[in-house]
Amino acid sequence: MPAAPLLVGLDIGTTSIKALIFDTQGQTMAQASIRTPTHYPRPGWAHYAPEEIWQTTVQALHTALAQLEQPAQIVSIGVASFAETGIPLDAHGQAASPEAIAWFDNRTAAQAEWLAQRISPDQLFAITGISLQPIFGLFKLLWLRDHQPEVFARTRLWLNMADYIAYRLCGVPATDFSLASRMMGLDLHRRQWSAEILHVMGLAPSLLAPLQPSGTRLGPILPAVAAATGLPTSAQVAVGGHDHVCGALALGVTAPGDVLNSMGTAEAIFLPLAKPLTDPQVGAQGYSQGVHVGGAYYVFGGMYTSGACVDWFRENYTAGTDYATLIQAAEQVPPGSLGAYFLPHMRMANPPHLDALARGSFIGLRTDVKQGALFRAVLEGLAYEIRSTLEPLLVHVGLPCAQNIYVTGGGAYNELMMRIKASVLNQTLTVVSVKEATALGAALLGGVGASVYADLPAALRQLKYTQEEVKPVPAEARFYDAGFKDVYTKLYDTLRPLHHAIEALPRVD
C-alpha cells in the first residue's frame, strides 16, 4: 500500500516564518518556526532582505522535514504570506534590490498622494474595491521609481512575498487574486489587472505576474531546492494566497454572515460576500475587498497592530516578564482597568477611520494603574477596536449582527483576551482548535494543485478539528458596552487633532 500523502503549508508572517506538514485530514505531522528577519533602518521604515527570507524559509523547511521518517510522502506545497510587500525581479529572475519594503512601512505616503491627484479615491474604490492607503503594493513600486530609479530600471517583474517564495521553489511566476487584491491595481469586478490604473501610474502590465486562481498547479520543486530542504522533486507547488484569507479557507468561513477574526501580529475581521460592495463610504472608512481564495468575494477590516501591541508592551515596559505572568496580573484587575484606556493605533488608524497620521495612546492614568492594569487596558483596547471595526462593517453588509464569529491565531489561545472580547462584543465566540490555520489553508491549496483533493470543498470535508465556545459574561458585557459608547468611541476624534499636531512639529536632528 502506498504511503499516505503529506502536504506542506508555508506561512511567511510578520513575526515568524512557519513550515508545517499536515496529513490530508489537517493533522500536524511536523512543524518549524523561525523569527522573520526584519530590518528597521529609521523610524517608520522597515524592510526585508529577499535572500534572508528565502534562506530562513529553506531552514524552516529543512527543520520540519527532518522530523519525518519518510519525506517522500510529501506531494505538495502551498505558500501564504502577508500582503503589500513585493519583490522586484530583474531580467535574470534575481531580486533587483536587496531590500523589500515591509507591508507596514509608511514611507510611501507621497506616492499615494501623487495617485490621488490623478484619479479620485472614489474612482479607485469603484475599480479595486479598496481604499486609498499608502501601504498597498504598487505604491512601493512607485517609491522605487521615485527614489531608486536604477532599481526600477532593472525591474522586470513584481512578485508578492508568497509568489516570490513559490517562484524560488519551482521557478514559475504567478500571483493569486487575494494577494493581487492588496496591490491597488486589480480590477475587482473583471478579475484582471486594471489597464486604467496602470496607465495613470505609468506602469507596464508586463511588470505584474500572471493572475491564477489559488490552488493552481505551478510545477514541481526545483532539484536544487530539493537538495537544500529535503523535499522530494516530485512535490508540486501550487498558487497560494494572502495569509488571513488562507486562514479563512482552512476554517470554512465562506458563507455570507459568518465572520473570521484572525489574530496575529495584525488582526483581521473577514466577512465573505456574495458580490462586492459598491458604496464608496466603504472605501472612505478604510475597508478593503478582494477575491477569496475559494473564488467568491470578501470584505476585510481589522487592526494593523494587534499582537504587535502586546509584544510592544511586554518588550518595552515589563523588563521581559513572560506572558503568563502578565496575564495573571491582568486577571487580578477588574474590568475597566482602573479607568485606563488604550487606543491601539500604533502604526495608523484602523477602519472605520482612514488616517495614516494616527497614533496610539494610553489615557486615564493614575498612580494606582500599575503593570497589570496597563496590560489589561491593552487587551481591552484591542477588543474595543475590533468592535469599532466590526459594527460599521455589518451595517455596510446589511446584517444586524454576525451570525457566527470564528476566532483563530495566536491571540485566540489567550483565555483572558477571549473572555474580554466576547463580553465587549456581547457575542459568543467560536475558537477553533486549528492553531495554524494560515499554514493549513496554504497546504490545502497545495493539495488541490497536486490533485490530492478534487477541489476545495472536498478538502474541507476531510478536515477534523474541534471548536470551543467562549460566551460573554452579562455583567461585564453591560459594563463594556457603557465603556465603549461613553469613552472608547470618543477617543479617536478627541485625540486626532493632537496627533496631527505632533506630526506637524518640526523635526530636530
Side-chain angles (χ1 to χ4, degrees):
M1 179 180 294
L6 296 178
L7 322 173
V8 177
L10 285 173
D11 175 6
I12 313 300
T14 307
T15 302
S16 59
I17 292 174
K18 301 174 183 177
L20 284 94
I21 302 172
F22 302 94
D23 67 14
T24 56
Q25 295 181 332
Q27 303 305 299
T28 302
M29 309 304 292
Q31 60 185 311
S33 177
I34 304 173
R35 192 165 185 84
T36 304
T38 311
H39 303 272
Y40 300 91
R42 66 170 80 171
W45 287 36
H47 69 261
Y48 310 104
E51 189 61 27
E52 277 187 336
I53 296 293
W54 169 245
Q55 293 300 331
T56 303
T57 302
V58 169
Q59 184 182 352
L61 282 167
H62 186 272
T63 301
L65 283 157
Q67 300 165 30
L68 297 180
E69 292 184 3
Q70 298 183 53
Q73 290 177 257
I74 292 173
V75 298
S76 65
I77 184 167
V79 189
S81 77
F82 45 69
E84 300 102 28
T85 290
I87 312 294
L89 299 185
D90 62 20
H92 305 288
Q94 304 296 314
S97 170
E99 301 178 2
I101 301 173
W103 66 267
F104 54 86
D105 182 291
N106 63 14
R107 76 183 74 174
T108 51
Q111 285 67 42
E113 179 60 29
W114 176 87
L115 184 63
Q117 293 172 2
R118 287 158 177 78
I119 181 170
S120 74
D122 284 355
Q123 187 177 358
L124 285 168
F125 176 80
I127 297 171
T128 65
I130 58 179
S131 58
L132 178 59
Q133 299 181 54
I135 66 169
F136 289 127
L138 290 185
F139 293 131
K140 295 172 171 64
L141 184 55
L142 294 180
W143 188 91
L144 291 178
R145 179 198 64 185
D146 297 341
H147 295 276
Q148 295 182 1
E150 71 286 355
V151 172
F152 183 79
R154 290 199 302 270
T155 300
R156 295 294 180 271
L157 187 64
W158 183 263
L159 293 180
N160 291 300
M161 184 59 77
D163 312 330
Y164 172 72
I165 297 300
Y167 174 75
R168 293 293 300 264
L169 288 167
C170 70
V172 180
T175 192
D176 89 300
F177 291 99
S178 68
L179 284 169
S181 299
R182 306 296 295 175
M183 291 180 66
M184 191 52 87
L186 181 73
D187 187 321
L188 185 66
H189 307 274
R190 297 178 179 177
R191 301 194 184 195
Q192 62 188 36
W193 296 119
S194 169
E196 179 180 358
I197 293 176
L198 293 180
H199 175 73
V200 172
M201 287 185 173
L203 298 176
S206 60
L207 285 172
L208 305 185
L211 289 160
Q212 296 282 1
S214 296
T216 301
R217 181 183 303 192
L218 292 175
I221 293 291
L222 294 170
V225 175
T229 62
L231 286 165
T233 55
S234 57
Q236 298 293 317
V237 181
V239 178
H242 187 190
D243 49 13
H244 295 303
V245 185
C246 286
L249 163 70
L251 302 182
V253 182
T254 57
D258 287 345
V259 175
L260 173 68
N261 179 201
S262 177
M263 300 177 65
T265 303
E267 184 165 348
I269 287 289
F270 176 100
L271 282 76
L273 297 172
K275 59 182 180 179
L277 303 173
T278 57
D279 183 352
Q281 186 66 12
V282 175
Q285 290 183 333
Y287 295 105
S288 301
Q289 300 179 93
V291 180
H292 199 309
V293 293
Y297 293 96
Y298 68 86
V299 63
F300 182 86
M303 287 184 281
Y304 299 107
T305 52
S306 176
C309 289
V310 175
D311 292 341
W312 163 82
F313 181 80
R314 174 182 173 270
E315 291 169 4
N316 294 286
Y317 301 105
T318 71
T321 303
D322 63 84
Y323 289 111
T325 301
L326 279 175
I327 292 169
Q328 184 178 25
E331 286 177 329
Q332 307 307 310
V333 179
S337 303
L338 305 181
Y341 284 78
F342 175 67
L343 183 67
H345 293 175
M346 300 296 281
R347 287 190 177 127
M348 61 186 79
N350 307 301
H353 307 297
L354 186 57
D355 183 0
L357 302 184
R359 286 173 169 259
S361 301
F362 278 110
I363 193 170
L365 302 185
R366 283 184 169 178
T367 56
D368 58 346
V369 178
K370 302 187 187 301
Q371 188 179 91
L374 282 175
F375 187 64
R376 186 179 185 108
V378 169
L379 301 183
E380 290 177 343
L382 296 174
Y384 281 137
E385 188 71 5
I386 281 297
R387 177 172 171 178
S388 177
T389 293
L390 178 59
E391 287 187 349
L393 192 52
L394 291 172
V395 172
H396 288 306
V397 176
L399 294 171
C401 64
Q403 295 177 14
N404 301 288
I405 300 179
Y406 298 95
V407 188
T408 187
Y413 300 96
N414 180 335
E415 293 182 2
L416 176 60
M417 178 77 252
M418 289 299 95
R419 293 201 304 271
I420 290 171
K421 182 175 286 187
S423 293
V424 166
L425 296 175
N426 197 21
Q427 187 157 342
T428 298
L429 306 178
T430 302
V431 179
V432 185
S433 64
V434 179
K435 291 188 176 182
E436 300 293 350
T438 296
L440 177 57
L444 296 179
L445 293 172
V448 170
S451 300
V452 174
Y453 309 109
D455 51 28
L456 287 173
L460 293 174
R461 286 194 294 269
Q462 288 203 36
L463 298 185
K464 293 184 178 180
Y465 51 77
T466 60
Q467 299 177 345
E468 178 183 350
E469 291 188 343
V470 181
K471 296 183 179 297
V473 179
E476 294 182 3
R478 289 190 294 271
F479 172 85
Y480 283 130
D481 187 58
F484 179 75
K485 293 176 179 176
D486 297 340
V487 180
Y488 193 82
T489 57
K490 298 176 173 61
L491 289 182
Y492 169 76
D493 289 331
T494 300
L495 296 172
R496 181 182 183 276
L498 297 177
H499 290 156
H500 281 234
I502 290 171
E503 291 295 326
L505 289 172
R507 297 288 185 260
V508 179
D509 296 328

